[in-house]
Amino acid sequence: MEKRILKDENDRVDGIFKVTGKAKYFAEYALPGLTYGVLVTSTITKGKITTLNTKAAEKAPGVMAVLSHLNKPSAPGYEQDGGSPLKIFYTDKIFYNGQPIAMVVANTFERATYAASLVEATYTKEQFNTDFDKAVADAKAKKLQGQPDYKRGVEDAYKTAEVKIEEKYHLPIETHNPMELHGMIADWRPNNQLTVYAKTQGVKATQGTIANVFKIPNENIRVNSEFVGGGFGMALRTWPVEIATIMASKYLGKPVKLMLTRMQMFTMVGNRPAAIQTIGLGAKKDGTLTGITHLAFGETSVYENFTEGVVNMAKFMYQCDNVNTQYTVVPVDLGVPIWMRGPGEATGAFALESAIDEMAHALDMDPLEFRIKNDPERDQQRNLPFSDKNIKEAYRIGAQKIGWNERKNKPGSLIEGQWKTGYGVSIGVFNANRGRASVKGILKADGSLVLQSATSDIGPGTGTGMTLIASKLMNIPADRITFELGDSSLPPAPSQGGSATLSTVGSAVNDVCVALKSTIAELAANANMDATSNFVEVLKKNNLPSVEMTKQSQAGKEREAYSMYSFSIHFVKVKVHGLTGVVKVDKIVSVGDSGTIISPKTARSQMVGGAVGGVGMALTEESVIDHRYGRYINNNFADYHVPVNADIPEIEVHFINKPDPYINPMGAKGMGEIALIGFSAAVANAVFNATGKRIRNLPITPDKILAST
Amino acid sequence: MINFQYLRTTTSKSALSLISKDKNAKFLAGGTNLIDLMKRGVATPEKLIDINHVPLKQIELVGDTIIIGALASNTAVAEHPLIKEKLPLLAMALNAGASAQLRNVATVGGNMMQRTRCGYFYDTEMPCNKRQPGSGCGAIGGFNRMHAIFGTSEKCIAVHPSDMCVALIALDAIVVLANPKGERKILFKDFHRLAGDTPQLDNNLKADEMIIRLEISVNQLAKNFHYLKVRDRASYAFALVSVAAALEISADHKITEVRLSMGGVAHKPWRLTASENFLKGKEASATNFEEAAKLAMKDAKGFGENDFKIRMAPNSIIEALTVATSKA
Ligand SMILES: Cc1cc2nc3c(=O)[nH]c(=O)nc-3n(C[C@H](O)[C@H](O)[C@H](O)COP(=O)(O)OP(=O)(O)OC[C@H]3O[C@@H](n4cnc5c(N)ncnc54)[C@H](O)[C@@H]3O)c2cc1C
Ligand code: SF4
């Protein structure tokens, strides 16, 4: 592999590799003797496998093994009781349609695919329900608390307010659908040495999970994941199908590769859970918010529980003395969900930010003005000051750039032929996390610096950001710095999720650079050199080819004294066609308020990607299931609509770019999630402003516009 | 992956003799539909006869007739100066279909022969009368948002997904078919079928036949035309409904000739004959367009999730007519 090198601030360390095909993704490691696994999946939704006939498959050309619960390939962690009930190949239970029940391994992918089609299963079927709406409505259905109830002041205060609204918002299942398909290459060697090439957002987490299941020491496991073709959250855990791949390699003593099909991406690696939310808002006639109630139901599976932060935002985003929230998860017979970009907060923000717009309309107030009026000075939930928050400035910038003054408060006022124009705004917020990470720095006498950490880069530009932090601190040109990641043998770092990597790993880069600098200063003093001498001279004078050190970094007490969040404001202008109901997004302005911007190019690209994802969430994305069969209907790229270029207008991105004084040495906060959170509400609000039609059921497809009165 | 034999031929004659010998053989053109169907186990041909090298890519004007070879790519047709000038409706409809990458390899014959995109048809675990006659129709009572509102049967409510064909039916194209005995011609409107009791049959092409070209008479419809495709995203999505409209307008704003057809509403491209008859000789006015749209919807029937089409379709007819007639 060539080095990841950055030429200037507007470059990416890996851009050239990605556009020239040199970036190597997990599936591209052509190990000698590689064999291919193909999965057989259940065709019923709930019940038990009664028979599994693998004879024909075993006899098919090139087939080396058929793994299933019949032969239980060795995985000591699965032989114990407890743990996840979906222990692949250790259970005959079927929890959902499309669940993997066997894996055929052959010497070519085509042969494995053919042989997999020969495996025959019979089942005893049980009654099932995959319909989330039905489960929520069913009084007898199982319901679990997803988060402790929250109350501040009077419960349901909105009910007695001067002006009140109470509305229900629906979100369908969405599927992450990164371009790169999920899978793994596993290479189990004698003496329990394992190398895997993975698609993961956390090489250390993957290593830990594998160690647990196979009961081998972490040191025996090397997880490589240098390039990831998009994760959006679905690569935040090690899925049963990855465990199955390792089982197969261990069983056969050969490297095994598994790559899911696009259809399997809908059933084996999670989804954004469906949600039904009720928001009640109360306000005084002058626009002061007096009550917020946020009640949410989220989808989960019957075999494993999944919860996320759907109702978090309601607790602190607006100045309001009376707030109560409740979050309940309801199991259905589908695969377990997982965080999808912006996770639960994006789900919650759709409801809350739509409702805020509805309240502004009820009050006959400009929704921007209404938001500014209720912008909190302190975090009322935790009773702490915000470490850094510049929302009013962000509102001002965004409003000016989108042309908010053209907007009319009365819906349906801007009409040109059949096209109706509208403007919408919303806010996104996400916890500004900072975890614990280690980085090793190797400063060399040839003038270069190598930094290493077992973090990941699923696309946001981690390598670029880290390089820029080091370059600035060390005063070393970026093209002399290499940042190595995606390898579990490097110093530990957490998984890339929750917008925390820049803050967490970046701090460790900072700390190791500071330490290296002081080491150089000491060495300079020892050699009677000037303290400002160049490190190359200092190392040479000391006859050292390099110095290296490792630093661990984590947040201090500031986190208890301040409430730390990243914010984003999204402005959207849409045109809606009166006769056909088609919605065209005409312009997007997103303003990020997330501390110092380390890498302008990759930061912008985060916001652009979030906006595109937001357009998808608002207008096009929905995974459809036929509840009579429990099977997905649109599980392919032709029918599951992610936005295409033609859907995306000009996207303007602006940043406040002021350091947060408390978060970390760089003053920089994460922005992967805020890029998406709230966006869908801005679109829905703009559609309302254009047409007077309030769509509370995503995605806003043309039929819904026509059906709404 | 089920094994199959791959054969390549360079003449239509040998292609026809190969196909007539073997009922489990299929022609391979661009492959954008057939290969997908094979991957999903919906089509399981034992022989693929690659016809891409058969010289049927011509796009030319012969006398008053425009000839389009069955193997001309969708892009070649849409971008051809002759088509852009004389049949702009066809070019517009083609460009509304699929994506540039698909259009570059998809052919005219393949586009006509493409099968429905009904999700149940593609999933061999689901019932579908079209794929497996007698197994039932999954879409009735299921996910039928994309499905037909006209000419449906109890056996199948699928739509023909093509955009190109919606323009071709409006343009009164003639399909020329070849078989081992010679050639026959069939009107485009008679090429595709309604589902009826035989949903497994999409069209009237016989097992030993091949599409070789289209013939379209030069017309006066190149000025006032529009192809409106209403879809869930701006490109690379099948039509919820689509409308092809082409008119000839006299100096006093009377409609002297009109062609109207729809896609996304029936098992075949749907010609709106009653609306056409109503509009002929009338003024190109909003009221008349509304009346024409109303007439078109006479026998429309929804199946639940596609009920919205009963509103979207007439609206789209009005919009297409309005845009077509506002071109100076
Ligand atoms: C993701 C996706 C999106 C799409 N979106 C659209 C869209 O929006 N609008 C649209 O109109 N289309 C769309 N299409 C469909 C596309 O237009 C068709 O797949 C294409 O036109 C088929 O042409 P082909 O040459 O590739 O056919 P092939 O796949 O090669 O063949 C299709 C069938 O036609 C038969 N055949 C081919 N040529 C002949 C001939 N000369 N005589 C007799 N039989 C023949 C074959 O045997 C086969 O059964 C889409 C396709 C995909 C995959
Ligand atoms: S509509 Fe037609 S293609 Fe679809 S399931 Fe019914 S029979 Fe099959």
Side-chain angles (χ1 to χ4, degrees):
Chain A
M1 188 73 217
E2 290 170 58
K3 279 199 213 158
R4 295 161 166 254
I5 278 177
L6 193 74
K7 289 197 194 63
D8 62 55
E9 204 185 66
N10 279 315
D11 192 16
R12 293 170 209 254
V13 289
D14 44 13
I16 197 81
F17 302 141
K18 289 189 172 174
V19 296
T20 57
K22 283 185 188 147
K24 215 165 167 181
Y25 294 84
F26 87 85
E28 297 179 293
Y29 286 84
L31 305 191
L34 190 59
T35 63
Y36 301 83
V38 167
L39 295 162
V40 180
T41 57
S42 81
T43 54
I44 68 153
T45 304
K46 191 175 183 176
K48 245 187 181 146
I49 307 170
T50 36
T51 65
L52 191 71
N53 187 343
T54 59
K55 285 210 184 73
E58 276 155 12
K59 280 197 213 120
V63 171
M64 301 161 130
V66 181
L67 309 180
S68 72
H69 70 287
L70 298 178
N71 51 12
K72 289 197 176 52
S74 161
Y78 276 11
E79 282 143 30
Q80 305 164 341
D81 289 336
S84 158
L86 212 176
K87 291 181 185 166
I88 192 163
F89 306 154
Y90 275 73
T91 178
D92 56 358
K93 274 198 191 146
I94 300 299
F95 298 102
Y96 67 89
N97 211 313
Q99 179 182 319
I101 55 170
M103 181 195 266
V104 177
V105 187
N107 58 359
T108 72
F109 170 69
E110 290 76 10
R111 285 174 156 175
T113 304
Y114 172 63
S117 74
L118 303 176
V119 176
E120 280 175 6
T122 59
Y123 307 90
T124 36
K125 293 186 199 173
E126 286 168 36
Q127 275 215 326
F128 62 86
N129 176 39
T130 56
D131 187 342
F132 176 67
D133 291 21
K134 198 168 130 193
V136 170
D138 180 358
K140 278 182 286 177
K142 194 164 157 187
K143 296 189 177 112
L144 308 158
Q145 190 176 51
Q147 194 185 70
D149 291 357
Y150 173 81
K151 193 177 87 174
R152 164 166 94 232
V154 181
E155 185 165 328
D156 290 343
Y158 76 94
K159 287 186 173 161
T160 53
E162 283 176 25
V163 183
K164 68 167 180 178
I165 62 147
E166 186 196 304
E167 296 295 351
K168 214 176 220 184
Y169 303 86
H170 288 247
L171 187 85
I173 290 178
E174 286 177 45
T175 306
H176 307 55
N177 271 319
M179 192 106 86
E180 183 193 32
L181 298 162
H182 218 92
M184 178 178 270
I185 292 177
D187 188 9
W188 191 290
R189 292 292 175 93
N191 305 322
N192 294 338
Q193 296 292 327
L194 173 67
T195 305
V196 302
Y197 298 89
K199 176 188 176 79
T200 176
Q201 295 178 226
V203 283
K204 295 301 284 183
T206 301
Q207 184 190 46
T209 307
I210 297 169
N212 236 334
V213 175
F214 291 93
K215 301 291 172 212
I216 55 174
N218 280 23
E219 305 75 66
N220 286 23
I221 306 163
R222 178 116 181 228
V223 180
N224 299 293
S225 185
E226 196 185 358
F227 287 96
V228 176
F232 307 115
M234 71 167 19
L236 273 170
R237 66 177 280 187
T238 307
W239 296 96
V241 287
E242 291 160 285
I243 297 298
T245 313
I246 300 167
M247 282 178 176
S249 179
K250 184 178 177 188
Y251 183 86
L252 287 167
K254 288 188 163 49
V256 177
K257 168 160 143 182
L258 174 78
M259 198 157 181
L260 299 191
T261 62
R262 181 58 62 186
M263 281 186 293
Q264 290 168 347
M265 293 288 281
F266 285 73
T267 48
M268 293 182 191
V269 285
N271 56 268
R272 188 195 294 285
I276 298 177
Q277 306 175 70
T278 304
I279 305 267
L281 294 181
K284 290 190 198 156
K285 284 198 179 116
D286 70 356
T288 310
L289 265 173
T290 55
I292 302 177
T293 297
H294 188 168
L295 311 175
F297 291 101
E299 170 213 345
T300 185
S301 78
V302 294
Y303 62 92
E304 214 179 276
N305 217 10
F306 176 78
T307 63
E308 53 182 358
V310 178
V311 296
N312 288 355
M313 189 168 161
K315 298 172 193 168
F316 65 87
M317 196 60 245
Y318 293 97
Q319 182 72 34
C320 186
D321 293 339
N322 307 302
V323 176
N324 57 296
T325 71
Q326 189 175 63
Y327 171 50
T328 309
V329 288
V330 186
V332 288
D333 296 303
L334 291 169
V336 66
I338 193 160
W339 305 281
M340 178 164 159
R341 194 174 188 181
E345 284 77 355
T347 301
F350 163 62
L352 182 64
E353 287 300 287
S354 294
I356 289 284
D357 199 72
E358 300 206 44
M359 178 52 105
H361 179 70
L363 291 162
D364 198 20
M365 260 178 100
D366 179 322
L368 193 53
E369 204 183 301
F370 179 57
R371 282 181 168 80
I372 291 169
K373 187 174 173 71
N374 293 288
D375 181 39
E377 285 308 318
R378 280 170 74 82
D379 176 345
Q380 283 183 287
Q381 179 194 0
R382 290 151 82 185
N383 194 20
L384 289 175
F386 290 106
S387 59
D388 158 61
K389 171 166 156 289
N390 307 282
I391 290 179
K392 287 182 184 130
E393 190 182 341
Y395 280 139
R396 193 180 47 73
I397 296 172
Q400 194 234 328
K401 300 288 177 191
I402 197 85
W404 191 258
N405 56 355
E406 303 284 318
R407 178 185 180 277
K408 303 274 176 277
N409 214 29
K410 187 169 177 288
S413 299
L414 299 174
I415 302 181
E416 216 177 294
Q418 281 298 336
W419 291 102
K420 302 173 184 176
T421 297
Y423 295 79
V425 64
S426 72
I427 188 162
V429 60
F430 198 75
N431 195 9
N433 291 312
R434 177 176 169 193
R436 188 199 306 153
S438 297
V439 170
K440 180 176 183 177
I442 309 159
L443 197 55
K444 297 185 182 168
D446 67 1
S448 68
L449 169 65
V450 177
L451 297 163
Q452 300 175 323
S453 180
T455 182
S456 302
D457 186 354
I458 54 170
T462 307
T464 304
M466 300 305 157
T467 301
L468 287 169
I469 292 172
S471 173
K472 201 166 150 206
L473 267 168
M474 302 294 290
N475 203 13
I476 299 176
D479 65 0
R480 304 304 325 268
I481 301 173
T482 318
F483 185 82
E484 293 173 8
L485 49 62
D487 176 347
S488 61
S489 66
L490 300 176
S495 296
Q496 185 159 62
S499 302
T501 303
L502 190 84
S503 177
T504 305
V505 183
S507 299
V509 167
N510 177 88
D511 293 2
V512 87
C513 287
V514 170
L516 283 168
K517 269 168 86 169
S518 67
T519 306
I520 291 294
E522 278 168 32
L523 288 171
N526 289 348
N528 290 325
M529 294 171 77
D530 189 49
T532 58
S533 305
N534 182 292
F535 72 88
V536 175
E537 306 303 323
V538 177
L539 288 175
K540 281 188 181 150
K541 196 73 175 269
N542 282 278
N543 267 329
L544 288 170
S546 65
V547 283
E548 59 177 67
M549 47 203 348
T550 303
K551 280 279 161 196
Q552 192 189 72
S553 178
Q554 69 190 87
K557 289 244 176 286
E558 323 77 64
R559 287 202 80 83
E560 289 156 32
Y562 294 95
S563 175
M564 300 181 180
Y565 287 99
S566 291
F567 305 91
S568 61
I569 316 288
H570 307 291
F571 285 89
V572 173
K573 180 183 175 193
V574 302
K575 288 188 182 322
V576 184
H577 196 274
L579 281 174
T580 61
V582 167
V583 178
K584 266 207 306 217
V585 181
D586 201 46
K587 188 172 180 182
I588 293 169
V589 178
S590 282
V591 188
D593 177 19
S594 58
T596 308
I597 298 304
I598 301 285
S599 161
K601 182 167 191 162
T602 56
R604 179 178 186 281
S605 130
Q606 280 283 294
M607 294 299 277
V608 166
V612 174
V615 170
M617 185 174 180
L619 298 180
T620 58
E621 293 187 47
E622 172 174 18
S623 300
V624 181
I625 294 160
D626 185 325
H627 300 302
R628 298 169 304 170
Y629 304 98
R631 288 177 76 81
Y632 282 92
I633 297 287
N634 64 338
N635 46 1
N636 60 71
F637 262 164
D639 297 319
Y640 182 90
H641 295 148
V642 295
V644 294
N645 275 320
D647 294 302
I648 305 300
E650 183 194 345
I651 300 176
E652 258 191 50
V653 175
H654 299 275
F655 293 111
I656 300 294
N657 198 8
K658 285 184 191 156
D660 181 320
Y662 305 108
I663 178 91
N664 56 35
M666 299 82 64
K669 298 187 278 194
M671 50 192 307
E673 323 295 337
I674 52 158
L676 180 84
I677 297 170
F679 196 95
S680 59
V683 177
N685 297 343
V687 166
F688 175 76
N689 182 240
T691 61
K693 296 178 184 204
R694 175 62 66 179
I695 312 295
R696 303 185 184 90
N697 185 357
L698 294 183
I700 306 171
T701 45
D703 48 321
K704 290 183 189 160
I705 298 273
L706 289 186
S708 160
T709 46
Chain B
M1 183 80 31
I2 297 163
N3 282 333
F4 58 85
Q5 208 182 347
Y6 170 86
L7 304 163
R8 182 189 284 178
T9 170
T10 53
T11 66
S12 46
K13 209 169 155 202
S14 73
L16 286 164
S17 88
L18 285 168
I19 202 117
S20 56
K21 271 193 234 130
D22 204 327
K23 69 176 192 324
N24 286 322
K26 271 206 176 296
F27 292 134
L28 176 72
T32 59
N33 190 217
L34 183 55
I35 302 294
D36 272 2
L37 291 167
M38 288 169 69
K39 285 190 195 164
R40 296 289 302 263
V42 178
T44 50
E46 285 165 13
K47 270 185 196 150
L48 278 189
I49 305 162
D50 184 343
I51 53 174
N52 283 290
H53 299 271
V54 178
L56 289 172
K57 295 191 173 147
Q58 75 277 26
I59 301 168
E60 59 195 7
L61 184 66
V62 178
D64 272 348
T65 305
I66 294 158
I67 310 279
I68 302 173
L71 286 161
S73 77
N74 287 187
T75 301
V77 178
E79 298 301 327
H80 200 283
L82 179 67
I83 306 298
K84 279 174 131 162
E85 186 201 327
K86 303 235 184 288
L87 304 172
L89 177 71
L90 177 60
M92 196 174 178
L94 276 165
N95 281 328
S99 65
Q101 294 90 331
L102 284 159
R103 294 194 297 270
N104 286 345
V105 286
T107 63
V108 167
N111 193 316
M112 289 168 64
M113 295 292 292
Q114 67 173 299
R115 309 216 63 187
T116 184
R117 307 301 293 199
C118 172
Y120 301 88
F121 176 69
Y122 268 80
D123 184 348
T124 51
E125 294 303 326
M126 298 272 212
C128 170
N129 287 326
K130 185 180 276 299
R131 177 171 32 76
Q132 202 185 334
S135 62
C137 170
I140 296 175
F143 179 70
N144 54 40
R145 180 169 178 268
M146 303 299 291
H147 288 66
I149 52 171
F150 293 122
T152 51
S153 82
E154 283 162 22
K155 299 247 162 74
C156 177
I157 59 170
V159 298
H160 191 262
S162 168
D163 292 296
M164 176 191 82
C165 294
V166 182
L168 287 173
I169 197 170
L171 293 168
D172 280 341
I174 289 166
V175 188
V176 183
L177 308 174
N179 54 47
K181 283 182 231 111
E183 287 185 5
R184 74 174 172 118
K185 292 190 181 183
I186 170 171
L187 294 178
F188 197 89
K189 73 176 175 60
D190 297 328
F191 183 79
H192 293 100
R193 298 166 60 101
L194 286 180
D197 284 334
T198 52
Q200 67 275 24
L201 300 177
D202 296 346
N203 54 57
N204 290 313
L205 187 85
K206 299 206 178 90
D208 63 349
E209 286 184 322
M210 175 178 175
I211 305 168
I212 54 171
R213 66 175 181 274
L214 296 172
E215 297 180 357
I216 306 165
S217 303
V218 173
N219 55 46
Q220 300 304 314
L221 304 161
K223 195 172 124 201
N224 291 110
F225 68 92
H226 190 56
Y227 185 73
L228 173 69
K229 183 174 180 183
V230 185
R231 45 184 152 176
D232 287 326
R233 62 180 168 190
S235 172
Y236 194 43
F238 290 94
L240 294 167
V241 305
S242 69
V243 181
L247 307 91
E248 203 185 321
I249 310 280
S250 66
D252 58 350
H253 220 58
K254 288 255 156 52
I255 300 167
T256 49
E257 171 68 323
V258 53
R259 310 280 179 80
L260 265 180
S261 56
M262 293 197 82
V265 293
H267 197 259
K268 57 185 287 189
W270 196 246
R271 185 84 178 251
L272 308 180
T273 317
S275 310
E276 287 178 4
N277 290 341
F278 167 80
L279 286 172
K280 259 177 225 160
K282 297 223 171 50
E283 202 185 328
S285 71
T287 353
N288 285 332
F289 294 165
E290 273 166 36
E291 189 56 31
K294 208 181 283 171
L295 277 172
M297 300 311 295
K298 209 172 134 261
D299 297 315
K301 179 179 166 208
F303 290 83
E305 296 194 333
N306 70 349
D307 289 350
F308 71 92
K309 291 191 181 184
I310 294 172
R311 185 147 169 196
M312 183 179 280
N315 282 0
S316 302
I317 294 169
I318 295 167
E319 173 72 3
L321 284 167
T322 311
V323 175
T325 52
S326 54
K327 288 183 186 173

